[in-house]
Amino acid sequence: MIRRYQKRLWCVTMGVLLIFAANAWADPAEEAYAEGMRLAQEGLLKEAMEEFDKAIRLKPTYAEAFSARGNVRNRLVQNQRAIEDFDEAIRLNPQYTEAYYNRANAYMDFGQREKAVQDYTKTIALNASHAEAFYNRGLAYALLRRGEAAADARSYLELRGWKDERARYIVLIGYLGYRYGNQDEDARKLLEEAKT
């Protein structure tokens, strides 16, 4: 009987110690970041911003929190402040692919297409299979009336395939790219491929 009691007491003691250890090891900055992400997904942007601010206060080198706050600021049409957050995320982690991609999107929203192209290019250099960066850079090139849009359209189609839900749009971007590059025959071929 005493042996069972000691075993139970030991189990309860270990359980309590594990709970205390988990609380001691919990990272408040990570918790604030996770809460900010949850709130942002729910569309509660101001509340999400407060959580990202808290995460950054607790951990000033938290590149992901700067990037996430930049996304929220961009959604709130605070483009310049969003770009500043992405700049800081990139300064903290120069290999942070999504920070370049997010900043490129902010530049696009801000009407700075050349800067967007530069950041999409950096995103692709860091992750050659980033289909969305090819799509968005192709769009930026098309808006700039540049033939490079065609190559990005082809790259997107290679990564995502012709059955992708956005394939028809990237085909139009590629078509425009070929036309801007005076490659009318290639533009026609792309449309023919899209029909099959």
Side-chain angles (χ1 to χ4, degrees):
M1 179 74 162
I2 291 175
R3 195 174 204 91
R4 264 198 278 172
Y5 174 74
Q6 287 176 334
K7 190 174 181 181
R8 281 187 187 155
L9 181 60
W10 185 83
C11 287
V12 169
T13 303
M14 290 307 294
V16 169
L17 287 174
L18 286 174
I19 290 169
F20 282 122
N23 287 334
W25 291 329
D27 183 344
E30 291 285 337
E31 290 174 355
Y33 173 79
E35 180 64 7
M37 293 299 285
R38 186 189 68 75
L39 290 166
Q41 286 180 328
E42 291 180 11
L44 302 170
L45 302 181
K46 290 184 181 181
E47 294 85 350
M49 180 100 66
E50 291 171 8
E51 291 299 320
F52 294 134
D53 288 343
K54 180 179 177 182
I56 290 166
R57 267 193 320 276
L58 293 168
K59 187 175 174 183
T61 60
Y62 201 164
E64 292 82 359
F66 277 101
S67 187
R69 187 174 72 180
N71 282 332
V72 169
R73 284 184 166 159
N74 199 43
R75 288 172 65 186
L76 291 170
V77 195
Q78 298 174 1
N79 301 85
Q80 189 56 46
R81 293 185 77 193
I83 289 168
E84 290 167 5
D85 276 343
F86 299 132
D87 289 346
E88 184 63 12
I90 290 165
R91 186 189 71 74
L92 292 167
N93 181 359
Q95 302 302 307
Y96 187 15
T97 305
E98 288 307 303
Y100 287 101
Y101 177 73
N102 293 334
R103 186 173 70 179
N105 290 337
Y107 280 137
M108 281 291 282
D109 292 344
F110 207 37
Q112 297 181 0
R113 294 182 185 119
E114 290 289 350
K115 287 184 176 182
V117 164
Q118 291 172 7
D119 276 351
Y120 289 133
T121 300
K122 181 66 176 181
T123 301
I124 292 164
L126 291 169
N127 179 1
S129 62
H130 200 299
E132 295 305 314
F134 281 110
Y135 185 97
N136 289 345
R137 187 177 70 176
L139 176 60
Y141 279 141
L143 291 169
L144 290 166
R145 300 168 105 48
R146 290 177 46 185
E148 293 96 323
D152 280 350
R154 289 284 186 188
S155 294
Y156 180 87
L157 290 168
E158 286 174 19
L159 290 167
R160 290 285 176 88
W162 289 88
K163 302 263 187 236
D164 182 76
E165 64 186 38
R166 294 171 58 179
R168 63 182 147 198
Y169 304 114
I170 199 68
V171 166
L172 293 174
I173 291 169
Y175 174 82
L176 290 172
Y178 282 129
R179 293 298 305 263
Y180 294 141
N182 295 316
Q183 297 173 289
D184 294 339
E185 183 59 25
D186 290 324
R188 187 191 61 72
K189 285 180 188 175
L190 181 62
L191 291 180
E192 289 299 317
E193 287 177 64
K195 288 180 185 177
T196 59

